[in-house]
Amino acid sequence: MNVYDSWRIAAMLDARGYKSTNDVADADIIILNTCSVREKATNKVFSALGRIRDAKKPSALFGIVGCVAREAGADAFRRMPELNFVLGPQSYHKLPDILENPDARLLNIDLGGLEKFDEMPQPATSPTVCYVPIQEGCNHCCTYCIVPYTRGREISRSFDDVIRDTKYAAKNGAIEICFLGQNVNGYKYTDKNGNEFRLSDLIRQTAKIPEIKRIRFTSSYPTEMTDDLIEMFATEPKLLPFLNMPVQSGSPDVLKRMNRPYSLDGYLEIINKLRVARPDIQISSDFIVGFPGESDSDFEQTLDIARRVRYINSYSFKYSPRPHTAAAIMPNQIPENVKKERLAILDSLLNEIQHEFNNSCVGKTMQCLYEGSDKTGKHLIYRTPYMQQCVVRGTPPDGEKISTIKITAASKASLRGEFAND
Ligand code: SAH
């Protein structure tokens, strides 16, 4: 989501004649887009701002946008008086105000809902993989999560607006569409005539756009994985056979305290249905270890679910207490050394499973998306339908963004392949 926000901010400045630079000392405006999901990232923001302040030219404007901006608010100006602007994740479309009035400080951390989408100009070009947000905020209120505070309550964008953005992206170079939302599979929009639209409707409509060859969405909440959406995996070949569906923990007790009230049996049943619909589907997950009160046996159950589902490409984190969340003040907070140890154990299991999956790909052919060349310029980088990176030698067929690649070797982190028709 932050990648998307940064892209739109850059496009907004681009439309006003700004060009990007990698040199802070050369910049006229410097914008730090920030994430506050875990404390570590938040802590880095003010030290990074200090470095920017010392390196930038005196006339350059600088500020923060995103969730740390929303969380810090006016306090950001107290901590860093030289800052020019502080804009939350739903008010970064106000950025041009500071360009018009550079001597005034700009603070806006309102939760404006969908206003930003109406006010921002459409970007001139689209990346090959284009993110399309379909929803803002989240209503789930997991007890560890700061997102409902920083991005507000859940609102779905209108079906027509999303399809308009998708068609625009297709016309301007997009091959793959990734629908975005904190609770993306909970997308629900009712139009003036009372017609209800779900994520499955967006997928079906997007699959009809000839330029779009691959569709995916992130991130999903398990109980919103309804049958209409599962069916899409059977009927829409453009929908990639890969789904991030975070389980977070394998312990029913921990899940209850996380306020994620699904049963593990129900969760596994959804995965079974997905595998029936699309036998080659693979699942990835997010995990949190060391949630308050997590016992050794709770943690064992997390390892157990990872072994049972055999997740690929997962993300795992140490629990990080966040302001405005219920879990931060729960008893039995887990000591840092225990969290660290559990994370290392889980990571090593997840890596082992991922390596095993990568090995199982050797000898197969896959339709892969061209991403660009590597630093040496000798290798081409492709992305498989499972989001693995695949390194290929040779020249890509003229102008073709999607190629059939035969996988020839695998490591823990990536694959090697060759053009299948060579
Ligand atoms: N709705 C998104 C949430 C984005 S945060 C989603 O379901 O993915 C991405 C991941 O960060 C979450 O899935 C969770 O695993 C992790 N996370 C969120 N809050 C956290 C916290 N306080 N400590 C550690 N990890 C956290």
Side-chain angles (χ1 to χ4, degrees):
M1 210 160 258
N2 271 2
V3 169
Y4 169 84
D5 290 336
S6 296
W7 170 54
R8 293 305 298 263
I9 291 167
M12 221 156 45
L13 291 172
D14 197 60
R16 289 172 170 259
Y18 285 80
K19 292 280 161 274
S20 73
T21 170
N22 290 326
D23 182 3
V24 173
D26 188 39
D28 295 312
I29 180 162
I30 303 149
I31 305 155
L32 205 59
N33 191 10
T34 59
C35 173
S36 61
V37 161
R38 282 167 293 278
E39 194 183 8
K40 202 169 158 194
T42 302
N43 288 345
K44 285 186 199 161
V45 169
F46 282 89
S47 51
L49 284 173
R51 284 197 301 277
I52 293 169
R53 176 196 55 203
D54 298 341
K56 76 184 187 71
K57 55 185 185 194
S59 61
L61 299 169
F62 83 130
I64 47 174
V65 300
C67 290
V68 175
R70 155 97 180 130
E71 195 194 333
D75 199 43
F77 291 119
R78 271 188 288 280
R79 290 180 70 178
M80 180 73 58
E82 299 89 344
L83 275 179
N84 303 96
F85 55 93
V86 174
L87 295 169
Q90 291 183 2
S91 35
Y92 60 76
H93 57 287
K94 304 277 184 205
L95 188 72
D97 291 359
I98 193 75
L99 305 175
E100 258 116 62
N101 197 1
D103 295 327
R105 276 175 169 173
L106 176 63
L107 169 70
N108 190 322
I109 53 167
D110 298 347
L111 294 177
L114 306 177
E115 197 185 295
K116 65 179 177 190
F117 297 109
D118 299 328
E119 292 204 8
M120 281 185 300
Q122 282 285 10
T125 57
S126 288
T128 314
V129 176
C130 190
Y131 293 112
V132 177
I134 64 173
Q135 169 194 75
E136 281 287 307
C138 189
N139 280 352
H140 275 296
C141 296
C142 304
T143 54
Y144 52 79
C145 191
I146 197 172
V147 167
Y149 176 79
T150 54
R151 287 190 183 257
R153 306 299 284 172
E154 190 172 303
I155 318 171
S156 289
R157 296 181 68 200
S158 89
F159 180 80
D160 289 348
D161 282 0
V162 173
I163 294 299
R164 185 203 56 213
D165 282 6
T166 306
K167 286 185 172 157
Y168 184 88
K171 213 179 276 164
N172 288 286
I175 305 279
E176 178 176 307
I177 293 291
C178 178
F179 290 123
L180 287 182
Q182 296 293 337
N183 178 35
V184 73
N185 54 347
Y187 174 86
K188 193 188 266 181
Y189 176 76
T190 310
D191 72 7
K192 287 193 294 287
N193 305 322
N195 301 314
E196 193 184 282
F197 296 92
R198 305 299 309 260
L199 177 57
S200 52
D201 298 305
L202 287 173
I203 292 169
R204 203 178 299 108
Q205 195 69 16
T206 302
K208 290 183 190 155
I209 305 173
E211 294 90 340
I212 302 301
K213 310 289 187 212
R214 316 207 315 178
I215 304 170
R216 61 188 169 102
F217 53 89
T218 194
S219 47
S220 293
Y221 191 86
T223 53
E224 313 268 16
M225 209 69 214
T226 45
D227 288 345
D228 58 313
L229 187 53
I230 293 174
E231 200 194 312
M232 288 296 110
F233 285 94
T235 56
E236 293 298 349
K238 289 184 180 180
L239 187 59
L240 292 180
F242 177 64
L243 177 70
N244 174 258
M245 187 167 69
V247 71
Q248 309 294 0
S249 166
S251 154
D253 290 345
V254 171
L255 286 175
K256 201 183 273 169
R257 275 180 284 123
M258 286 179 165
N259 191 29
R260 292 181 66 96
Y262 44 81
S263 76
L264 289 162
D265 284 347
Y267 178 86
L268 292 170
E269 178 55 29
I270 292 165
I271 293 180
N272 277 341
K273 283 189 190 174
L274 285 161
R275 287 188 172 145
V276 169
R278 189 77 167 259
D280 62 346
I281 199 166
Q282 296 293 337
I283 313 292
S284 86
S285 179
D286 298 358
F287 294 93
I288 295 177
V289 300
F291 185 80
E294 184 190 68
S295 65
D296 283 338
S297 99
D298 289 324
F299 176 61
E300 281 299 326
Q301 294 177 72
T302 296
L303 297 176
D304 202 48
I305 193 115
R307 283 190 206 103
R308 285 178 73 176
V309 178
R310 306 211 76 73
Y311 295 103
I312 63 161
N313 294 348
S314 290
Y315 298 94
S316 38
F317 310 102
K318 288 183 288 183
Y319 167 69
S320 167
R322 307 304 298 124
H324 317 286
T325 63
I329 47 172
M330 282 182 183
N332 305 318
Q333 298 281 331
I334 305 295
E336 188 58 29
N337 60 330
V338 177
K339 289 188 203 173
K340 214 168 152 182
E341 199 179 318
R342 288 183 185 164
L343 184 65
I345 295 169
L346 176 62
D347 277 347
S348 113
L349 173 65
L350 293 171
N351 284 337
E352 189 187 306
I353 298 172
Q354 181 162 353
H355 198 174
E356 185 189 286
F357 174 66
N358 286 353
N359 281 335
S360 78
C361 295
V362 176
K364 294 196 172 139
T365 51
M366 299 184 190
Q367 296 287 309
C368 299
L369 181 68
Y370 177 60
E371 272 194 348
S373 19
D374 70 354
K375 280 190 217 115
T376 67
K378 286 188 196 141
H379 301 108
L380 308 169
I381 307 290
Y382 278 81
R383 194 64 59 181
T384 73
Y386 302 104
M387 295 299 119
Q388 298 145 295
Q389 193 188 65
C390 183
V391 182
V392 180
R393 244 178 221 279
T395 24
D398 249 357
E400 290 292 322
K401 289 279 188 186
I402 302 254
S403 292
T404 311
I405 308 273
K406 182 169 183 199
I407 311 302
T408 53
S411 72
K412 229 173 3 198
S414 70
L415 303 174
R416 282 187 171 273
E418 58 192 27
F419 291 110
N421 305 330
D422 280 1

